[in-house]
Every structure is written in C-alpha cells, then in structure tokens.
C-alpha cells in the first residue's frame, strides 16, 4: 500500500498577496512588499484564487453571510491537468467556509468568466488575505513519502515493520486537487481510511506560499463529483 502513487493537480501561487483596500495592516507585515492592497493589483475577472476580499460570482448568487469566501477555480485553467478526467471542463467552482466549525459550501456554475459579477467584502476574519493561483500542472505524489526515519529512540518504539514512522506534517507544503488527504492532527489510520475510501481531495491549499500555517482541505465523494453534486462536501482545517 505504501507504494501507491496518485495523480494530482498541483497549484502554485502568485508572488503577491492582497487584502481589502479599507483595512489597515501593521507596517511589519508590509515591509517586504509582498502583501499589498487589492486595488493595486490587476485581478482578472474569474481568475483562480484563494481567499481575499474579492470574489467573482454568478449573477444573483446569494453570498452566504455565515461563511467566508475561500477560493474559486476557473476550470478552463485547471481541468486540462486532470489525469482522471473527473473535473468539469468548463465553468467555475466556488468555495466558502468557516474553518472554526469545519463547515462550508461549494458551488459549481458552468458559465464563462465574462458572465461573473465582482463582489468585494473587506474583512479581517479568516481568509482575509487573497492570492491568485498562478500555475496548475499535473504531477504525482507517493504514499511512501508520508513515512520517515525515526529521529530518536522514542520514535523507534513506534516504528512500523519497515522501521519507519508516520510523518504528521508531510504533505502540508502542497496545494493540489486529488491525492492524499492531509491533516497534521489526524492519526495515520484516519488518513489511510480516507485514502482507501471513495473520498477525493477536491481542493487542498497548503503552506507552499498560500498559507503561512495550516492546510485547508475539501473532500468530496467520487460519485458526487461524477454527478456534479457538491452539496455533501467535507471541510477541514489542520494546523499544529
């Protein structure tokens, strides 16, 4: 089982993050010039992104007041890298979440970017900071990478038959679609139970330039994804 290899769509962020124009940030956070006001950036309508105050949504969409905008994916940018052929080829996926309650909403709309309407909600809550998804590409990951050598005699006591231990934090640095569920607070068997189920990682945003700390994940059942039913998704936030 440890030799399992998974096709994934890896996501890479743009360099600059942005926040609401009406907010005031501590100067120490602005010193390196990588966090800027949203109004200073050219953010194309419908471009894939994570978090922030700016969401490009379907016309007449009721923005959920109890959730924060977490992400949107332009499937014309993402789907060409889907080796499983499970994602819709066109349209957009929208993600809203409350990471304190592990709840959220996923909406799919098969419309062109030109049909979206920009909605701006400045806030200082979770997901206040946004970043565009600069790049998406097909690659793979291995379950064996979730195991490592023990670092001391105490860890050696917990080693498996191959002399390795489960690495709770491996995978946290990756942002992706599909592949191995990542949650640093979950036990090895809990992760393996997801891996061996029909649940798929619809979205994982990790610590590779998107989040400083923590991993945001959304799971979906395989049959739900095939049916474009996004009403039963699971939402997880893992942080040490």
């Amino acid at each position: 089982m440890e030799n399992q290899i998974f096709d994934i769509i890896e996501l890479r962020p743009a360099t600059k993050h942005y926040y609401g124009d009406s907010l005031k940030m501590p100067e120490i956070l602005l010193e390196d010039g990588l966090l800027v006001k949203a109004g200073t950036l050219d953010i194309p309508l419908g471009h894939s992104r994570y978090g922030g105050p700016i969401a490009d949504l379907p016309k007449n969409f009721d923005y959920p007041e109890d959730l924060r905008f977490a992400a949107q994916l332009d499937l014309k940018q993402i789907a060409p890298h889907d080796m499983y052929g499970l994602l819709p080829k066109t349209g957009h996926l929208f993600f809203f979440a409350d990471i304190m309650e592990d709840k959220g909403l996923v909406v799919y709309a098969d419309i062109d970017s030109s049909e979206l309407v920009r909605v701006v909600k400045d806030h200082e809550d979770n997901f206040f900071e946004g970043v565009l998804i600069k790049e998406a590409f097909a690659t793979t990951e291995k379950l064996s990478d979730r195991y490592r050598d023990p670092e001391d005699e105490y860890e050696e006591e917990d080693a498996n038959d191959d002399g390795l231990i489960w690495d709770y934090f491996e995978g946290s640095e990756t942002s992706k679609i599909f592949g191995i569920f990542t949650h640093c607070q979950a036990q090895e068997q809990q992760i393996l139970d997801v891996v061996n189920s029909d649940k798929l990682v619809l979205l994982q945003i990790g610590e590779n330039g998107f989040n400083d700390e923590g991993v945001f994940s959304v799971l979906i059942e395989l049959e739900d994804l095939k049916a474009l039913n996004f009403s039963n998704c699971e939402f997880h936030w893992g942080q040490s």
Side-chain angles (χ1 to χ4, degrees), residues 36-182:
V36 300
K37 286 185 178 292
T40 66
L41 294 179
D42 176 23
I43 301 177
L45 193 70
H47 195 290
S48 300
R49 71 198 68 161
Y50 174 63
I54 299 175
D56 297 330
L57 305 173
K59 194 176 299 183
N60 300 321
F61 175 78
D62 291 329
Y63 194 111
E65 293 301 325
D66 59 334
L67 303 172
R68 293 299 186 190
F69 170 74
Q72 65 182 85
L73 300 177
D74 179 358
L75 292 166
K76 283 186 178 180
Q77 176 193 14
I78 305 297
H81 311 288
D82 174 11
M83 296 297 99
Y84 299 111
L86 292 171
L87 295 174
K89 302 295 189 292
T90 58
H92 297 258
L93 279 172
F94 306 92
F95 299 80
F96 298 83
D98 178 345
I99 63 172
M100 305 305 293
E101 299 291 337
D102 279 344
K103 68 178 184 178
L105 173 70
V106 179
V107 175
Y108 171 63
D110 188 11
I111 57 178
D112 190 74
S113 293
S114 62
E115 300 176 69
L116 299 174
V117 176
R118 178 148 294 180
V119 177
V120 180
K121 287 184 177 286
D122 292 359
H123 65 89
E124 299 179 85
D125 203 351
N126 296 308
F127 301 113
F128 81 90
E129 190 176 311
V131 59
L132 297 181
I133 296 174
K134 178 182 179 181
E135 184 182 10
F137 58 93
T139 185
T140 60
E141 63 179 8
K142 298 181 292 183
L143 187 59
S144 59
D145 288 340
R146 295 296 177 106
Y147 296 86
R148 62 174 175 80
D149 293 322
E151 295 181 351
D152 54 41
E153 60 185 53
Y154 298 104
E155 289 192 340
E156 288 176 357
E157 295 176 359
D158 296 324
N160 62 20
D161 292 342
D162 296 321
L164 302 173
I165 67 166
W166 180 255
D167 189 335
Y168 287 88
F169 297 98
E170 179 61 35
S172 297
E173 73 288 349
T174 304
S175 297
K176 65 185 182 181
I177 298 169
F178 304 135
I180 306 165
F181 178 47
T182 303

Side-chain angles (χ1 to χ4, degrees), residues 193-212:
D193 285 345
V194 175
V195 169
N196 295 315
S197 72
D198 286 332
K199 292 179 181 179
L200 302 174
V201 178
L202 182 62
L203 180 65
Q204 172 181 308
I205 301 295
E207 299 170 351
N208 62 327
F210 286 99
N211 293 316
D212 290 332

